[in-house]
Amino acid sequence: MMRLFRLPDHPVCASLKPHERQAGETAFAAHLAALGFRMVAVLAIAHLATFLIAEQGFAVWAACLAVLAIGGAAGASMIAGRATAQMEDAVARNVIDLYAHFIGRGSLSRLAETPAGELISQIDRQPALCARGVVTVPLAKQMAVFGPAAALVVIALLHWPSAIILTLAMPLMVIGLIVTGRLTKTRAEKHHEALDRLAGGFAERVRCLPTILSSHAEKRESLRLGRELSHHRQATMSVLRVAFLNTAVLDIVSTMMVAGLAISLAAGTLSAATLPGFAGVSLGTTLAILALVPELFGPLRRFAEIYHTAAEARAALEHVEPLTAVETTRDTRLPAERFGLRGAVSAVNGPYPDMDLPCDGLVVVVGPSGCGKTTLLRLLAGVDAPLRGQVFKPVGTQAWAATDAHLPGHRVADAIEKDAARWLDAVGLAHDPRFSAGGDTRLGAGAQALSGGQRLRLSIAAAAASSAETIFVDEPTAKLDENSAEHIRRLLIDLADRRLVIAATHDPKLIAYADLHIELRDLAKVQT
Amino acid sequence: MSALLSDRRWLIALFASCAAALSALLLLGAAGWLLAATAVAGAAGFGLVAPALLIRVLAVFRIGGKYTERLVGHAAALQDQTAHRAVLFRRMAGDAETARSGWQLARADRLQHFLTDVDAVDFRRLRVVLPALGLAFCCFLALLVTVAAVPRSLFPLTVLASALTASSMVLAGRAARRRVRSATLRTLSGERMGLDLASLVSLQAQGQRHAAASQAAAGFRDAEALDRSAQSDLSLADALLGMAGPLCALIVLVTGVAENSLGTDALPVVLTAFIWLACGEVIAPFAKMRFADLEASRASRALDRYHDEHTHRAAIAGGDLVVQDAPLADPEGQPLGGRVSFTASQGKPVAIVGPSGCGKTSLLKRLAGWLAWSGGDHPLGTEDRARVSSHLSLHDAAILEGTLRDNLFTDAPEAEMMAVLVEMELADRAEALGGLLGHVGQSSLSLGEARRVALARAALATQPVILLDEPGEHLDADQAERVLKRLLSRLEDRTVVFVTHDERLAALGAQVVHLH
């Protein structure tokens, strides 16, 4: 089958299902049908008017045809709208899936390069923009070619000299559009930097508002903002003055065509034709031509209107493209009888000593700051894959406790699977006034309002309450006062009875309790 | 609306818009009438010169009117934007809540939502009010002509207009409600995704990362689906409104027959029909205008939450800062158990040391008047007074996109600024950037440099009370000590309180207060 509508060749379209691709065809066909119906309606109305004047009667069939065509046009537009929305939804989903894949499986180091807010802002905005870029924009572009062509053909069938005049006007318009487009581009480039910088001024000050307040600079910044906004206004207007010439060209050509054709056709009717072929055209034909001319320019105007969207969409599509080839992280650890490392080299900290870890007990990773304790934990937990060498998996599930641990839900009991009160007590939070409601204590989303120490202790409680057989803890006592730290030490020792607890720590007391020390130095070796 | 009539630019834009619409209607109407009239008159002495001139004049008016409307309308809208943003910024700056809560708009996605709202309000007149008035004017004009030419068609036209208006209002309303739901969903999913992104390592270690990302993404998927439904609603409304022009023309012609206006009598009928046909173009965007209006109202309500509560009070003259047995509390005001007492005076800085979560930062913010003081009177009188009398150096102070000089927020002479930059060990960096006028931004400075810029702001501050939150953060221990020592000696004539977890820095204070 011949393809009516060609989807752009972009990865976000690659995984569309056949019926989703079909929606594009439907949308385009429906747009064409709507155009056809509109032209039929206009022709019928023109005929009706002619009949009224020339034959002094009522053309019932024309009236019926007009009603049907108007209804048909509305129906076809509706179908086009639905199909466009359906297809855009499919594309938007694909883009969201790309982001979900990036966040869910992409390499952690690449993810760390983009600030979280920036990434969320992208997943919020890019899908819809990309969808418009591959559906609405090409549809409008295609209609801007087919629409005027179809209208011209119909006009040519009615009265070919008018069609020739309209055709001759087209290159003039295209030249006009190119010239004004160039002018706009030059202007925009001239003001580019000013526009970019000034447009962000408001957003930037809102972002930094607390800092501005803390320095008592609100008045100063308010004045500067006012100045920047008015510069921005001037720069924008300077660009708009030429940018609007673009639409003005369309207006000039379409308006002048209506006016010129009306006068020429009228002159022809009065046998005062100045142009060949314009003599004695029937009223029905002249009215029909007059009513059809707007159809000729409508699709062009619609395409010009989405020019800005098209530019944004193009940028979004370019932005999203690298996501289709995201490097993913996999848990490369192999199942084995013993949990441990063989010849593992980390991308960050270099080679690690070989080690075999027990099924239970307290293992401490010690060494000076920056020697790679957390990196070792990440290697063992399968968060990072080693550059070379092998990591062997522990048996059963694992938990990770740290200040940046994931604490799901809004209440303590959501984060701690069972016996919330017991585990709160075990980490020394039971008597903290902040946790007076026990398991019902509200945390707010992600426990963001808690201090680092509180989050750390809560995450240790969550790990303890879980069924995880291996527990990784990063600096379990670092941010705690001595009393709380003692609670944590005792809990970790208890847990190590039946499970394996691996802690990166500086705490000499915790180190003293450990069953196994992994000491990391320049030439690290395992000491038992 | 009233502002639209009192502002010169808006008046010109409105006038141009009406002139353009009027000429567009009359152009098509007059052209139709001319063709019909010449057909009726035949070759028998019809003066073509005057009507042809009229048509040409209308064409020029339409083109000129449209261009003027766009240009002046945008100029006026940009002026609206300038005024609105300036007022909004002042309101936000004056709102006590801005200081009280953790600042939400520092994160890109939240800022983006906020800016979408601001934009909707900025351009409400351009996108809604001006086209709505143009639409009303056109319909009024077409109705006038109809009353004169085909009065009997008024009733069916009114029925059609009511049906189309009602259905497009309903559809636009539904689309707007869907948009509200999608926006809520986007915010929630964004928050959720933010939390996931903050704890990717633990999610990965527990094998939950992919599931968590998929769940957060599902929210965005649902939001997209809602947005597409809203888009479908609007395109349905567009399809219905697209019928308006041809249907009105048809109604006029049919009623013309019913009124027995045939032959030459039918000329005014044809004129009216063509005017309605031209009106279709102005009526078509009605549903989109209504939708934009609903969005702007919602956005405007969202932005109304910022109130300028700023009261102008004089700063204290300086002197001791006496804190007597003040209870420690978390940022929400929940007591944390401990109590604290100290006296800071000029040249005798107080260092507050304690583990994370003991309420150090909150104490500093309460001293600065940013959070409510609990337990008796504020040591500086009132929170308002405290705010004007103190400089609070936040540990996460932001760098504003702009010059280094702009970032120091000071009127001090250049030599003093340079001296402070030297003391804060920023002189080399400043030179590399191109001096005080070098461009800086959040991403172009390292965390340590940003921290030292914030300390430079404190050094140049003029308030009598200076409060420093973690002055050594992101600096290595030796540099932190050097820099803080110089800062404290520069601030010898001020009352300084600083919070740290580093005993070595605390030792620089005249008094060290330990919190537990």
Side-chain angles (χ1 to χ4, degrees):
Chain A
M1 196 190 106
M2 201 189 81
R3 291 238 159 251
L4 281 173
F5 174 61
R6 280 188 68 83
L7 265 177
D9 190 22
H10 191 277
V12 296
C13 306
S15 53
L16 286 179
K17 296 183 191 75
H19 75 272
E20 289 162 349
R21 284 169 183 276
Q22 189 56 46
E25 308 267 305
T26 312
F28 185 58
H31 273 304
L32 281 181
L35 176 70
F37 277 125
R38 274 203 305 276
M39 290 198 288
V40 170
V42 163
L43 288 176
I45 288 172
H47 183 79
L48 201 60
T50 312
F51 210 74
L52 217 60
I53 292 165
E55 313 286 326
Q56 312 215 342
F58 182 52
V60 180
W61 65 269
C64 295
L65 185 63
V67 171
L68 285 178
I70 292 169
S77 303
M78 201 186 80
I79 292 171
R82 287 254 150 119
T84 309
Q86 189 192 343
M87 191 162 174
E88 287 198 359
D89 195 42
V91 176
R93 272 162 189 276
N94 279 353
V95 177
I96 292 177
D97 287 345
L98 285 179
Y99 275 102
H101 181 74
F102 179 44
I103 294 169
R105 301 215 191 276
S107 90
L108 288 173
S109 54
R110 265 218 46 201
L111 270 165
E113 285 166 16
T114 320
E118 177 58 33
L119 200 57
I120 297 166
S121 184
Q122 283 177 24
I123 192 175
D124 198 21
R125 280 167 50 86
Q126 309 287 41
L129 281 175
C130 290
R132 251 175 260 153
V134 295
V135 185
T136 303
V137 174
L139 268 177
K141 203 187 231 168
Q142 226 162 301
M143 279 308 291
V145 176
F146 278 80
L152 262 181
V153 168
V154 175
I155 292 173
L157 289 176
L158 288 170
H159 183 233
W160 60 267
S162 296
I164 288 180
I165 292 195
L166 288 168
T167 317
L168 288 179
M170 286 290 167
L172 269 180
M173 190 180 66
V174 172
I175 292 171
L177 287 177
I178 291 174
V179 170
T180 51
R182 283 258 168 87
L183 268 178
T184 311
K185 212 175 150 204
T186 330
R187 275 285 169 99
E189 271 163 8
K190 190 179 143 208
H191 292 289
H192 176 72
E193 208 179 319
L195 283 175
D196 254 19
R197 187 163 50 80
L198 297 172
F202 175 72
E204 184 64 9
R205 287 190 179 83
V206 169
R207 180 179 74 80
C208 302
L209 194 50
T211 301
I212 291 172
L213 288 180
S214 73
S215 294
H216 299 272
E218 56 268 31
K219 215 175 227 160
R220 156 196 302 276
E221 290 307 314
S222 187
L223 286 174
R224 276 184 53 208
L225 177 64
R227 276 200 300 275
E228 276 183 24
L229 282 171
S230 71
H231 282 157
H232 178 243
R233 203 175 71 212
Q234 283 154 13
T236 311
M237 283 315 296
S238 161
V239 176
L240 285 184
R241 264 193 282 278
V242 288
F244 287 150
L245 284 178
N246 220 331
T247 33
V249 167
L250 266 174
D251 276 342
I252 291 170
V253 175
S254 66
T255 313
M256 284 308 176
M257 280 296 121
V258 170
L261 280 177
I263 293 168
S264 301
L265 289 166
T269 322
L270 292 175
S271 317
T274 44
L275 290 169
F278 275 81
V281 186
S282 75
L283 176 62
T285 310
T286 56
L287 285 184
I289 293 169
L290 188 64
L292 281 174
V293 172
E295 288 301 330
L296 190 68
F297 295 99
L300 288 171
R301 187 170 301 135
R302 272 188 286 280
F303 184 60
E305 274 165 12
I306 62 163
Y307 176 81
H308 186 64
T309 311
E312 270 189 319
R314 221 173 16 247
L317 283 169
E318 262 171 42
H319 198 105
V320 161
E321 189 146 6
L323 285 182
T324 49
V326 156
E327 210 182 301
T328 54
T329 345
R330 268 180 322 120
D331 185 356
T332 54
R333 297 175 300 168
L334 296 177
E337 277 177 31
R338 299 277 290 177
F339 175 28
L341 293 183
R342 285 288 175 280
V345 179
S346 122
V348 195
N349 292 77
Y352 277 91
D354 291 349
M355 58 185 82
D356 284 316
L357 297 167
C359 302
D360 51 27
L362 175 63
V363 177
V364 289
V365 181
V366 295
S369 294
C371 72
K373 298 192 289 294
T374 307
T375 308
L376 176 61
L377 252 51
R378 286 168 65 140
L379 278 179
L380 289 170
V383 172
D384 298 329
L387 269 188
R388 282 192 299 279
Q390 218 25 273
V391 182
F392 298 107
K393 236 185 195 166
V395 185
T397 55
Q398 51 191 47
W400 182 279
T403 48
D404 62 354
H406 187 243
L407 295 169
H410 293 263
R411 293 177 320 138
V412 167
D414 297 331
I416 302 178
E417 269 172 37
K418 50 179 193 278
D419 301 332
R422 175 183 155 208
W423 296 116
L424 275 184
D425 189 39
V427 293
L429 285 174
H431 300 292
D432 186 324
R434 178 76 179 73
F435 291 87
S436 52
D440 288 327
T441 302
R442 298 202 64 81
L443 292 175
Q448 292 294 296
L450 299 186
S451 72
Q454 286 169 328
R455 287 175 54 86
L456 173 68
R457 282 186 280 171
L458 214 51
S459 75
I460 293 174
S466 74
S467 54
E469 278 145 86
T470 311
I471 298 173
F472 297 91
V473 215
D474 200 4
E475 300 285 3
T477 55
K479 291 194 159 191
L480 305 180
D481 60 274
E482 181 44 38
N483 185 26
S484 312
E486 191 51 35
H487 266 101
I488 296 297
R489 281 181 213 119
R490 254 181 280 137
L491 173 62
L492 292 180
I493 293 158
D494 271 358
L495 291 174
D497 248 5
R498 284 172 299 107
R499 317 193 211 180
L500 176 62
V501 177
I502 306 177
T505 184
H506 282 116
D507 177 6
K509 286 189 190 159
L510 186 65
I511 294 169
Y513 289 126
D515 303 306
L516 178 70
H517 298 171
I518 299 172
E519 216 166 308
L520 298 177
R521 293 210 186 285
D522 291 339
L523 281 168
K525 58 183 190 291
V526 182
Q527 300 183 340
T528 26
Chain B
M1 168 92 185
S2 58
L4 205 65
L5 299 175
S6 60
D7 186 302
R8 193 173 55 86
R9 278 175 201 255
W10 277 121
L11 260 181
I12 297 174
L14 185 60
F15 181 74
S17 147
C18 289
L22 177 67
S23 345
L25 294 196
L26 293 183
L27 177 63
L28 206 57
W33 170 80
L34 175 66
L35 290 175
T38 49
V40 170
F46 185 91
L48 189 61
V49 179
L53 183 67
L54 174 70
I55 285 178
R56 291 205 175 96
V57 168
L58 285 174
V60 170
F61 257 76
R62 176 173 187 258
I63 297 163
K66 277 246 167 188
Y67 186 71
T68 315
E69 174 199 348
R70 284 207 186 97
L71 206 62
V72 183
H74 274 83
L78 285 168
Q79 204 166 25
D80 276 8
Q81 181 187 46
T82 307
H84 175 229
R85 292 192 173 197
V87 168
L88 183 61
F89 180 74
R90 275 201 297 278
R91 260 175 35 212
M92 293 174 83
D95 193 329
E97 200 57 39
T98 302
R100 211 171 288 145
S101 59
W103 189 232
Q104 296 290 309
L105 298 179
R107 216 175 76 179
D109 58 317
R110 294 172 181 147
L111 188 60
Q112 187 60 51
H113 285 176
F114 166 79
L115 288 174
T116 309
D117 281 356
V118 175
D119 190 77
V121 178
D122 280 351
F123 292 117
R124 188 183 206 161
R125 284 196 194 137
L126 183 69
R127 288 174 194 158
V128 182
V129 183
L130 189 64
L133 288 176
L135 168 63
F137 178 72
C138 279
C139 290
F140 176 70
L141 213 77
L143 279 175
L144 273 189
V145 177
T146 311
V147 169
V150 207
R152 272 200 228 169
S153 63
L154 270 187
F155 177 67
L157 283 179
T158 315
V159 172
L160 177 69
S162 327
L164 285 179
T165 312
S167 52
S168 34
M169 295 276 261
V170 167
L171 285 167
R174 194 164 77 173
R177 283 194 301 281
R178 283 183 162 150
R179 180 57 72 82
V180 170
R181 270 163 55 208
S182 107
T184 316
L185 208 52
R186 280 172 191 280
T187 309
L188 288 176
S189 313
E191 296 309 313
R192 181 166 188 168
M193 190 156 266
L195 296 175
D196 290 347
L197 285 169
S199 38
L200 278 182
V201 171
S202 80
L203 283 170
Q204 169 92 4
Q206 298 177 4
Q208 299 161 338
R209 180 174 156 208
H210 187 65
S214 303
Q215 267 179 9
F220 283 108
R221 241 175 263 138
D222 292 345
E224 287 294 338
L226 276 170
D227 279 350
R228 291 293 96 67
S229 309
Q231 188 184 326
S232 277
D233 286 338
L234 288 177
S235 73
L236 176 57
D238 280 354
L240 292 176
L241 288 167
M243 301 200 296
L247 267 186
C248 290
L250 191 63
I251 287 173
V252 167
L253 287 176
V254 172
T255 357
V257 175
E259 283 184 352
N260 217 8
S261 312
L262 301 169
T264 322
D265 290 348
L267 287 183
V269 180
V270 172
L271 171 81
T272 316
F274 269 80
I275 284 183
W276 277 112
L277 205 57
C279 241
E281 207 179 307
V282 192
I283 297 172
F286 175 66
K288 287 209 178 80
M289 273 150 47
R290 172 71 186 156
F291 178 73
D293 189 32
L294 292 169
E295 281 279 278
S297 305
R298 186 197 52 71
S300 165
R301 279 196 301 278
L303 297 179
D304 274 347
R305 71 194 194 87
Y306 299 105
H307 299 289
D308 190 351
E309 301 157 48
H310 196 70
T311 43
H312 295 276
R313 275 170 199 277
I316 60 161
D320 294 355
L321 175 65
V322 185
V323 175
Q324 199 68 60
D325 205 27
L328 293 168
D330 74 358
E332 277 142 39
Q334 299 239 26
L336 288 169
R339 290 184 167 269
V340 61
S341 302
F342 60 82
T343 302
S345 49
Q346 287 178 5
K348 296 219 162 81
V350 169
I352 299 178
V353 199
S356 129
C358 72
K360 298 190 299 269
T361 300
S362 299
L363 174 65
L364 220 52
K365 285 193 172 174
R366 284 157 69 215
L367 280 174
W370 285 38
L371 297 174
W373 188 263
S374 49
D377 285 343
H378 195 284
L380 296 173
T382 62
E383 277 90 352
D384 277 341
R385 195 121 191 253
R387 226 173 308 158
V388 290
S389 309
S390 63
H391 171 98
L392 175 63
S393 183
L394 299 163
H395 74 96
D396 56 354
I399 300 295
L400 197 68
E401 198 78 40
T403 63
L404 186 55
R405 183 200 198 113
D406 294 340
N407 263 289
L408 295 176
F409 302 127
T410 178
D411 296 322
E414 213 158 277
E416 192 179 343
M417 286 191 232
M418 286 313 296
V420 167
L421 288 180
V422 169
E423 286 176 15
M424 295 303 120
E425 305 189 1
L426 282 166
D428 292 346
R429 188 74 174 103
E431 200 173 326
L433 286 166
L436 282 169
L437 296 178
H439 188 88
V440 293
Q442 197 74 58
S443 52
S444 63
L445 293 185
S446 73
L447 290 172
E449 284 162 351
R451 189 74 201 93
R452 279 175 285 144
V453 168
L455 293 178
R457 290 172 186 155
L460 291 160
T462 52
Q463 286 70 29
V465 178
I466 308 286
L467 305 164
L468 310 169
D469 191 9
E470 295 285 1
E473 196 167 62
H474 305 305
L475 305 180
D476 72 56
D478 291 337
Q479 189 180 38
E481 196 176 357
R482 288 195 306 270
V483 165
L484 184 60
K485 208 179 220 165
R486 291 190 205 118
L487 179 61
L488 292 177
S489 81
R490 185 171 267 274
L491 295 174
E492 201 127 62
D493 57 342
R494 266 29 109 66
T495 308
V496 180
V497 177
F498 66 96
V499 146
T500 179
H501 62 267
D502 184 343
E503 294 287 350
R504 235 173 97 188
L505 289 186
L508 296 174
Q511 184 190 349
V512 181
V513 180
H514 286 270
L515 300 183
H516 299 292

